[in-house]
Amino acid sequence: MHWFESFILGLVQGLTEFLPISSSAHLRLTAAFAGWHDPGAAFTAITQIGTEAAVLIYFRKDIARIVSTWARSLVNRDLRHDHDAQMGWLVIVGSIPIGVLGITLKDAIEGPFRDLRLIATTLIVMGVVLGIADRLAARDESGGRHRAVKRRKTLTDLNVKDGLIYGVCQAMALIPGVSRSGATISGGLLMGYTREAAARYSFLLAIPAVLASGVYELKDAFGDDATASHVSWGPTIFATVIAFVVGYAVIAWFMRFITTKSFMPFVIYRILLGIALFALVSAGVLSPHAGESAG
């Protein structure tokens, strides 16, 4: 992997990780359109550590409060009913599905799931789901001529059942094109949560999953197997730093954006990109396996 290639891929990772448009799909498509090798699941997982570092810094006060209260609640019964202590457990519970499926489906994630036709399908389908969820949220928030404004849930309403549903939605993002934030935010909106609450929990829930995935890939990358031989450490670290810087700026913008705007621009973008990708593959301009050999 060349330095320019790593710069572009790090930029793409940072720009798309927190938006509901799928960073893994965009990394895959960037490589395919540019004629580069697919950066691979290992590169994606390692550069995601950079974007998760941006989450850790942006939400540092929330994270410190949750971790501190959760840890103290292990020995102090009085704290076990505290919302922050409960959030700690809910993040753990919500991380179980993606942990189990990530290990079980590892070979598929690194192989068949990266087919461009599957990515096009997930871009369109999850775009439609996000659009429906967004419209339902907008209807509740605005009410209507014959309908009163309906209160939507916040993170104080989060329970174990909802946490597990969030976790299952997050696990769907193991398929490129689904989008981790898109799936969890859609799930949250469909369960009746506000846009801000759905996005905030989505980002918090991603922390253990992404960091664990990155560490897991680092373990393989330091080994003697094929994964290790395909990791270009200098460019990969450079891409991770770029992803961190850009990712932090995107989080700050996105959290402000969703307080007043809908997700429809992302819905339209996903559907148009999926249709364009299908057209390019059907016309023979792109092979569904373009650039799949590890780079």
Side-chain angles (χ1 to χ4, degrees):
M1 177 181 291
H2 300 294
W3 291 96
F4 175 73
E5 184 178 342
S6 68
F7 170 78
I8 296 299
L9 293 176
L11 184 64
V12 171
Q13 169 66 26
L15 285 172
T16 60
E17 172 67 16
F18 304 112
L19 303 180
I21 55 177
S22 180
S23 61
S24 57
H26 279 76
L27 286 173
R28 177 82 177 82
L29 292 176
T30 299
F33 281 120
W36 300 331
H37 290 305
D38 179 0
F43 176 88
T44 301
I46 294 170
T47 54
Q48 281 179 336
I49 293 177
T51 47
E52 285 312 301
V55 173
L56 290 172
I57 293 176
Y58 187 85
F59 292 107
R60 61 189 179 279
K61 294 181 180 178
D62 295 39
I63 294 169
R65 191 179 64 249
I66 291 170
V67 172
S68 173
T69 307
W70 175 81
R72 287 184 290 122
S73 74
L74 297 177
V75 294
N76 186 341
R77 290 179 176 272
D78 294 336
L79 289 174
R80 294 178 185 178
H81 298 291
D82 187 283
H83 172 65
D84 289 326
Q86 293 174 346
M87 276 294 294
W89 285 114
L90 289 169
V91 169
I92 292 172
V93 168
S95 300
I96 294 173
I98 197 170
V100 173
L101 292 176
I103 295 173
T104 304
L105 301 176
K106 185 177 186 296
D107 290 340
I109 294 168
E110 296 178 348
F113 282 3
R114 302 181 78 80
D115 188 301
L116 294 182
R117 292 165 296 189
L118 178 59
I119 291 175
T121 301
T122 53
L123 282 169
I124 295 171
V125 172
M126 289 307 300
V128 172
V129 172
L130 178 61
I132 293 172
D134 186 66
R135 292 301 300 168
L136 291 174
R139 186 183 66 181
D140 288 347
E141 292 168 357
S142 62
R145 185 173 180 182
H146 303 293
R147 186 172 49 245
V149 173
K150 182 179 178 181
R151 176 191 174 275
R152 293 186 71 83
K153 294 186 283 188
T154 65
L155 288 185
T156 57
D157 300 303
L158 192 64
N159 54 37
V160 173
K161 183 191 75 172
D162 289 356
L164 277 173
I165 294 174
Y166 265 113
V168 171
C169 291
Q170 177 178 241
M172 293 171 60
L174 292 169
I175 304 174
V178 170
S179 169
R180 186 189 312 276
S181 64
T184 49
I185 289 173
S186 295
L189 293 178
L190 290 173
M191 287 188 288
Y193 286 87
T194 65
R195 290 188 179 92
E196 194 274 339
R200 184 173 292 269
Y201 185 63
S202 170
F203 292 157
L204 293 175
L205 185 61
I207 293 172
V210 173
L211 291 181
S213 174
V215 170
Y216 185 83
E217 292 293 349
L218 280 172
K219 173 183 69 65
D220 286 351
F222 278 118
D224 298 323
D225 58 7
T227 300
S229 66
H230 289 316
V231 176
S232 302
W233 280 109
T236 299
I237 293 172
F238 178 57
T240 303
V241 173
I242 296 297
F244 162 74
V245 174
V246 176
Y248 186 89
V250 171
I251 294 176
W253 172 81
F254 186 63
M255 293 305 293
R256 289 194 301 270
F257 176 86
I258 61 175
T259 58
T260 57
K261 308 293 185 181
S262 80
F263 291 111
M264 290 311 294
F266 303 112
V267 172
I268 295 170
Y269 172 78
R270 289 182 64 105
I271 293 174
L272 290 179
L273 179 60
I275 293 172
L277 187 54
F278 264 130
L280 290 172
V281 171
S282 298
V285 176
L286 278 179
S287 163
H289 307 288
E292 270 194 354
S293 57

